[in-house]
């Protein structure tokens, strides 16, 4: 029975990934994510059901529009695959629990945040503001397990985490003058609300380390100097770090407390 559920959520995840691609394409320009129906970005022909089968259509059409041959971004395939795999794996690990629901929701949100910041260098208020409300509500109503066991009540842990995230990144923006934007500050506050205190520290430090490594890797690969004033998109690394923290942060915390 459980393998049926895993397969079901894998397929639902693929379809959801297809919708997330629409969000990634349209939200930065402030366009509607429901109207018009999916169309080619180049020739604006409406796509038929056969063009919209997750993964398979991309492979079958070899990454090109059926009508005008314009290249379809590789990201379309990647997002479908990652969303499907994420929901299947989370269902496998957590079963049909509230924890699965909460972690699955944040996985979906951070996939969108990851790709919009990677492609556009933007962290959108239209995503972050509602997510802040949802994070507080979940801390209060669902009390995710990584918020428990830190002396503070889950909702207090969440609120303190949000304040710490906001303060840390606000200070960085003020003192670094460029290199990080206000979108990152709002995102850090959201991450604090999700992870709570003290795990917010783990998430933000891990995110900064991953971001630094990614920037260094890009510099080495492209053999270019970092232009002054050029901002590093921290959203993608913060998104990955946050997911790692809510999946494994409590285990890291226990290990650390054992050391003391
Ligand atoms: Zn086309």
């Amino acid at each position: 029975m459980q393998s049926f559920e895993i397969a079901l959520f894998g397929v639902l995840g693929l379809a959801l990934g297809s919708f997330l691609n629409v969000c990634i394409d349209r939200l930065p320009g402030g366009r509607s994510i429901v109207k018009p129906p999916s169309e080619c970005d180049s020739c604006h022909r409406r796509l038929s059901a056969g063009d919209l089968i997750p993964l398979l259509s991309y492979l079958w059409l070899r990454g090109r529009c059926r009508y005008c041959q314009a290249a379809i971004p590789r990201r379309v395939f990647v997002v479908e695959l990652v969303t499907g795999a994420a929901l299947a794996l989370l269902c496998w690990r957590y079963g049909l629990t509230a924890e699965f629901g909460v972690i699955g929701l944040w996985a979906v949100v951070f996939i969108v945040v990851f790709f919009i910041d990677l492609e556009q260098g933007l962290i959108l208020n239209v995503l972050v503001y509602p997510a802040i409300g949802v994070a507080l509500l979940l801390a209060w109503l669902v009390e995710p397990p990584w918020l428990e066991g830190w002396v503070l009540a889950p909702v207090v842990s969440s609120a303190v985490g949000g304040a710490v995230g906001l303060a840390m990144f606000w200070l960085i923006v003020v003192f670094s003058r460029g290199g990080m934007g206000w979108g990152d500050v709002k995102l850090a506050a959201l991450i604090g609300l999700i992870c709570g205190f003290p795990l917010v520290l783990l998430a933000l430090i891990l995110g900064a380390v991953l971001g630094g490594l990614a920037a260094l890797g890009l510099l080495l690969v492209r053999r270019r100097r970092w232009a002054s004033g050029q901002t590093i998109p921290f959203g993608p690394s913060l998104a990955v770090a946050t997911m790692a923290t809510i999946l494994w942060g409590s285990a890291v915390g226990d290990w650390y407390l054992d050391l003391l």
Side-chain angles (χ1 to χ4, degrees):
M1 197 55 201
Q2 218 219 342
S3 55
F4 169 75
E5 286 160 3
I6 295 168
L8 177 69
F9 275 95
V11 172
L12 285 175
L14 292 175
L16 182 62
S18 187
F19 173 69
L20 297 187
N21 275 310
V22 175
C23 297
I24 294 164
D25 281 329
R26 297 186 183 180
L27 285 178
R31 289 186 289 157
S32 163
I33 51 174
V34 274
K35 279 194 242 176
S38 294
E39 57 179 31
C40 168
D41 279 335
S42 294
C43 65
H44 299 288
R45 290 279 292 266
R46 185 177 293 189
L47 301 180
S48 65
D51 301 324
L52 293 169
I53 303 164
L55 303 184
L56 298 181
S57 292
Y58 184 92
L59 293 175
W60 173 247
L61 297 170
R62 294 186 190 163
R64 297 196 167 273
C65 169
R66 183 195 299 276
Y67 311 102
C68 71
Q69 304 299 312
I72 302 165
R74 238 171 271 148
R75 176 258 295 164
V76 167
F77 184 85
V78 173
V79 167
E80 289 167 353
L81 187 64
V82 169
T83 312
L87 290 197
L89 283 171
L90 289 172
C91 179
W92 167 70
R93 178 163 170 198
Y94 295 102
L96 297 183
T97 58
E99 208 173 349
F100 169 59
V102 174
I103 300 178
L105 172 71
W106 293 128
V108 165
V109 169
F110 281 110
I111 287 170
V112 177
V113 167
F114 181 104
F115 284 97
I116 290 180
D117 198 26
L118 188 71
E119 292 178 0
Q120 314 271 345
L122 292 172
I123 291 170
L124 302 177
N125 290 339
V126 71
L127 284 170
V128 173
Y129 289 160
I132 283 175
V134 171
L136 266 173
L137 213 60
L138 290 176
W140 179 46
L141 294 176
V142 181
E143 306 190 341
W146 62 87
L147 291 180
E148 290 182 333
W150 301 107
V151 182
L152 303 171
V155 71
V156 180
S157 165
S158 168
V160 173
V164 168
L166 183 75
M168 270 176 71
F169 272 46
W170 182 73
L171 284 172
I172 293 173
V173 166
V174 168
F175 286 105
S176 72
R177 301 178 187 193
M180 195 177 277
W182 289 109
D184 293 308
V185 178
K186 295 171 200 164
L187 184 62
L190 169 64
I191 290 169
L193 290 168
I194 294 170
C195 297
F197 185 83
L199 285 182
V200 58
L201 300 173
L202 178 65
L204 295 182
I205 291 168
L206 182 62
V209 170
L210 288 176
L213 288 176
L216 195 66
L218 281 178
L219 285 182
L220 291 175
V221 169
R222 293 184 186 163
R223 296 181 174 281
R224 264 204 331 229
R225 286 198 191 181
W226 202 259
S228 67
Q230 189 173 355
T231 57
I232 305 165
F234 263 106
S237 51
L238 287 173
V240 171
T242 304
M243 289 313 297
T245 298
I246 60 181
L247 287 169
W248 301 296
S250 296
V252 173
D254 290 343
W255 169 78
Y256 185 71
L257 290 178
D258 281 346
L259 282 185
L260 296 178

